[in-house]
Amino acid sequence: MRSKLEWRQAKVVEIETPAPDIRLVTFAVEALTSGFDPGSHTNIKVVINGAPAIRTYTVIPSRPGTLAIAVKLHPNSRGGSAYVWTLKIGDATEVTEPENRFELSWRASQYLLIAGGVGVTPIYGMAKALAARGQPVRMIYGAKNVASMAFAPELKGLLGERLATYSQDDGESFDLAAEFATLPEDGEVYICGPLGLLEAAKTAWRAAGRPASRLRYEVFGDNGRFAEQPFEVDVAGFGTTVSVRADQTMLEALMEAGVPMIFDCRRGECGLCAVKIVSCSSELDHRDVFFSQEERRDDPRICACVSRARGGRLVIDNGYVTEAILPATSAATLQAG
Ligand code: FES
């Protein structure tokens, strides 16, 4: 868990467009202490509607002293991608030293990488690292169409016939169960893509009787069932109604309002920001990969960093958060206001 973000000055030195709606931005970063492993992320300070905010992106392999991020201009963006798309050469911001929660284990005898759309960003680095070490690896890359497959030429050069691409517009699809069946017992899968793909993979993996620890995944934060809408949050015992704008997360809005929150990944993966749901006047849009469907049903909680309500009013109880942080401050980040 993160104890403190280490911010570094960063200046845009290169902008490329590996796919029509994906921008690859490279920053020269001051005092970057080390390289990074595939799957690592960096935080970047952005400005949304004139207000400062932080967004987290996967880092793409780049030359020493630089960090590169590939960001899709999302129609439902909460503002982070729109900000990155405004950056020009020479613009300055701050980024953090990369950290990794989506690590390759290097223990498998065979790897299957699966990327859905812009989920290719961590998978690309993994493919590069595995190919460089001569590891047995196959990659599946699905996207809307061939033109939208960022880094496909590079991946083809690396993997050759071991790369299989699937274009949704051409009616192509892949069979997860059949792919998993080709893996040896200690084979591992690394997957990044939309929530639906992850859920399907988890289901197929379980059905195949495979160990959960050998399916590793992450999801990109702003892909929910519904477009972002503003909603209100009442925090039990807090006495204030907090408004969550469409372009901010519930976690950001709660912290701005001074509600004590603990969090770490900001990507719906660690579960630290989860709060209890008391009631919701609209539908919930769960965007985390931390809770299973059963857990959501039996003990309704919501990850404030990515999940939200589809408008209306949500009543939450974060009382246990305060209790949890009183005895000792864990390494997790604690912020209020
Ligand atoms: S901070 Fe990790 S799930 Fe929200």
Side-chain angles (χ1 to χ4, degrees):
M1 286 184 287
R2 176 188 312 138
S3 53
K4 193 170 188 316
L5 298 178
E6 294 179 43
W7 290 101
R8 304 277 184 260
Q9 297 294 326
K11 190 178 276 192
V12 179
V13 291
E14 214 169 301
I15 296 175
E16 296 166 70
T17 311
D21 59 354
I22 295 180
R23 180 161 286 193
L24 177 63
V25 181
T26 304
F27 299 90
V29 182
E30 211 173 80
L32 201 57
T33 55
S34 59
F36 50 85
D37 300 322
S40 297
H41 304 95
T42 184
N43 296 284
I44 174 172
K45 289 188 177 175
V46 302
V47 178
I48 297 171
N49 282 341
I54 296 170
R55 290 291 181 266
T56 305
Y57 296 106
T58 300
V59 284
I60 305 291
S62 64
R63 58 186 181 278
T66 67
L67 288 183
I69 57 174
V71 179
K72 179 175 178 170
L73 184 57
H74 199 283
N76 297 335
S77 168
R78 296 189 303 265
S81 70
Y83 169 84
V84 171
W85 273 67
T86 65
L87 289 173
K88 302 179 298 301
I89 301 283
D91 282 352
T93 182
E94 289 176 59
V95 299
T96 56
E97 289 278 343
E99 55 182 352
N100 201 351
R101 294 190 188 81
F102 189 36
E103 287 171 272
L104 278 169
S105 71
W106 297 109
R107 64 176 178 171
S109 65
Q110 200 171 316
Y111 295 87
L112 175 63
L113 308 178
I114 304 177
V118 73
V120 72
T121 52
I123 300 298
Y124 172 47
M126 288 179 176
K128 256 188 126 161
L130 289 166
R133 292 205 201 174
Q135 296 286 310
V137 55
R138 170 174 158 79
M139 177 173 165
I140 295 170
Y141 189 176
K144 182 161 174 18
N145 49 49
V146 174
S148 66
M149 292 181 188
F151 309 116
E154 293 90 337
L155 286 163
K156 189 74 189 165
L158 281 170
L159 302 175
E161 294 308 307
R162 293 174 295 163
L163 171 71
T165 58
Y166 295 86
S167 156
Q168 210 177 359
D169 284 355
D170 295 327
E172 296 170 348
S173 62
F174 49 90
D175 182 342
L176 284 166
E179 291 288 347
F180 294 165
T182 65
L183 288 172
E185 215 168 290
D186 70 345
E188 291 188 352
V189 174
Y190 291 77
I191 179 166
C192 183
L195 209 48
L197 175 62
L198 260 68
E199 295 295 349
K202 280 159 71 176
T203 303
W205 192 253
R206 261 197 312 269
R210 298 270 181 172
S213 65
R214 292 190 181 273
L215 174 70
R216 300 186 173 199
Y217 50 83
E218 73 172 12
V219 68
F220 29 87
D222 55 358
N223 83 75
R225 286 190 300 143
F226 311 113
E228 287 80 0
Q229 293 180 32
F231 61 101
E232 312 259 86
V233 186
D234 282 337
V235 186
F238 193 68
T240 310
T241 297
V242 178
S243 297
V244 183
R245 298 190 311 266
D247 64 4
Q248 68 181 161
T249 66
M250 179 163 51
L251 178 66
E252 288 168 344
L254 290 169
M255 290 197 309
E256 271 177 30
V259 178
M261 295 293 292
I262 51 175
F263 62 90
D264 188 38
C265 71
R266 292 173 179 259
R267 298 172 65 87
E269 293 163 7
C270 71
L272 275 174
C273 66
V275 291
K276 289 185 182 179
I277 300 166
V278 178
S279 66
C280 181
S281 70
S282 65
E283 286 177 273
L284 292 167
D285 195 358
H286 287 287
R287 299 175 173 202
D288 68 278
V289 288
F290 182 75
F291 292 119
S292 66
Q293 298 291 0
E294 293 75 25
E295 286 169 327
R296 286 182 192 143
R297 188 191 58 222
D298 299 341
D299 180 16
R301 283 179 288 166
I302 188 167
C303 287
C305 66
V306 291
S307 300
R308 46 198 305 124
R310 191 189 188 188
R313 183 174 298 259
L314 175 64
V315 182
I316 60 168
D317 184 347
N318 75 335
Y320 72 98
V321 170
T322 315
E323 284 165 28
I325 61 177
L326 276 177
T329 35
S330 72
T333 311
L334 162 65
Q335 286 195 17

